Amino acid sequence: MTGSFAAFFILSLLTIGGAVFMISFTRVVHMVISIGITFLSIAGLFVLLEAEFVAISQVLVYSGAISILMLFGIMLTKHDATDEGKSRAQKSWISFVAVAVFFILMFFAIQNAPWPNVPAEGTPDVSNVKQIGIDVFTKYVIPFELLSVLLLVSLVGAIIMAKKEGGKE
């Protein structure tokens, strides 16, 4: 067992565990913490894949910005801290069976898939950050700008919605 395999195993368990806890918890603050753990462990998986830029972006965008956005959402909404009770137990069994069937299907699909032994393309002396920057600002400049406009519109919409709800009370 190599160190990278052990790190992959630990990060995979953290990723899956955080996602399962995010679905299982009933308090919103606990959900945000568990999804933050999931985002950080996914960034660790990107580091293992030697995609450092994507890992740093994952930490900055998802673990930082999205988690803080969720916390603002918690503060701006009214939520009840009570549990659902008996109906939640029945839903959890149905969910467990569905996830188990999905896992078995995916396991057999992955085991029976033909995986070609193709070497990776590209030159190893080129920095992936430099190549990403060149691609974003040459080939993908229009989708990049459209994404920035979409984010700006969603930010303005969130501010307008928060102001309207604040004015009602």
Side-chain angles (χ1 to χ4, degrees):
M1 177 187 281
T2 63
S4 62
F5 179 74
F8 174 76
F9 188 74
I10 291 169
L11 289 170
S12 298
L13 285 178
L14 282 172
T15 302
I16 294 169
V20 168
F21 285 140
M22 197 294 197
I23 295 169
S24 303
F25 286 148
T26 56
R27 295 187 183 258
V28 181
V29 175
H30 296 156
M31 291 178 183
V32 170
I33 291 170
S34 60
I35 202 166
I37 291 170
T38 302
F39 288 150
L40 288 174
S41 54
I42 289 173
L45 290 172
F46 282 130
V47 169
L48 287 177
L49 290 172
E50 296 179 4
E52 295 84 11
F53 178 76
V54 180
I56 296 296
S57 300
Q58 175 82 18
V59 169
L60 290 176
V61 173
Y62 288 107
S63 301
I66 300 296
S67 297
I68 289 178
L69 183 66
M70 286 181 182
L71 288 174
F72 278 126
I74 292 168
M75 291 186 290
L76 289 173
T77 59
K78 295 179 184 178
H79 57 279
D80 194 11
T82 60
D83 289 335
E84 291 180 12
K86 294 180 183 178
S87 66
R88 184 170 171 88
Q90 184 181 15
K91 290 178 187 176
S92 66
W93 278 107
I94 293 170
S95 300
F96 177 75
V97 170
V99 167
V101 168
F102 179 72
F103 176 77
I104 291 169
L105 287 173
M106 288 297 108
F107 179 77
F108 285 118
I110 290 171
Q111 291 296 323
N112 295 327
W115 298 100
N117 246 350
V118 179
E121 295 180 16
T123 57
D125 58 340
V126 175
S127 171
N128 62 358
V129 176
K130 181 179 178 182
Q131 189 61 41
I132 289 171
I134 290 170
D135 284 346
V136 164
F137 292 113
T138 56
K139 287 193 243 179
Y140 302 110
V141 71
I142 292 179
F144 180 75
E145 292 300 325
L146 288 175
L147 182 65
S148 66
V149 170
L150 176 71
L151 289 173
L152 179 65
V153 168
S154 64
L155 177 67
V156 170
I159 290 170
I160 290 171
M161 287 175 61
K163 269 188 160 182
K164 283 182 182 177
E165 287 180 7
K168 288 181 183 177
E169 297 176 285

